[in-house]
Amino acid sequence: QVQLVESGGGLVQTGGSLRLSCAASGGTFRLAVMGWYRQAPGKQRDLVAGIMSGGGTLYADSVKGRFTISRDVAKNTVYLQMNSLKPEDTAVYYCAFTYGSIRYSDGIPYWGKGTLVTVSS
């Protein structure tokens, strides 16, 4: 059973930065596709960024150039560096772990509990 523990959320002003971390245990991290989703109040959960087992990355258009996803295989940890934050980035951010596609949330078997990011204007 894979367990994911997120950290790093909080309150930040517009234009500020935060780094989210997600530590994984119980799975084969080096083979996993990892990602970050977010869900704002009253909205669906959307993919923010993903990183493949080989290191390739993908991003939502709304965060390209501002967010960077990375992984440390030695630490079984994935990161999301968020810069130039905007109020519309406010959401609960969820770490996701799969051996399949990161693009479709319905097929992702393992999720963290989420960490809240609030960007004040």
Side-chain angles (χ1 to χ4, degrees):
Q1 184 71 12
V2 174
Q3 293 186 325
L4 304 172
V5 178
E6 301 112 331
S7 61
L11 174 64
V12 65
Q13 292 184 333
T14 296
S17 297
L18 283 174
R19 189 177 80 155
L20 305 183
S21 299
C22 172
S25 61
T28 308
F29 184 82
R30 62 182 177 83
L31 299 180
V33 180
M34 303 291 297
W36 290 94
Y37 276 72
R38 68 186 180 187
Q39 187 168 22
K43 296 189 177 181
Q44 67 181 18
R45 189 177 296 191
D46 292 325
L47 177 64
V48 175
I51 185 164
M52 313 307 136
S53 57
T57 58
L58 60 89
Y59 296 93
D61 287 344
S62 59
V63 307
K64 282 179 181 176
R66 300 189 298 123
F67 291 11
T68 303
I69 189 170
S70 61
R71 64 194 293 163
D72 185 332
V73 176
K75 295 182 178 179
N76 283 8
T77 299
V78 64
Y79 304 97
L80 185 68
Q81 178 66 44
M82 304 185 294
N83 298 329
S84 301
L85 283 161
K86 305 174 181 180
E88 51 263 44
D89 295 317
T90 295
V92 177
Y93 283 70
Y94 296 91
C95 181
F97 179 116
T98 181
Y99 296 115
S101 174
I102 199 66
R103 294 178 180 271
Y104 307 106
S105 60
D106 288 349
I108 295 173
Y110 305 110
W111 294 91
K113 293 183 179 180
T115 185
L116 178 63
V117 172
T118 303
V119 184
S120 64
S121 57

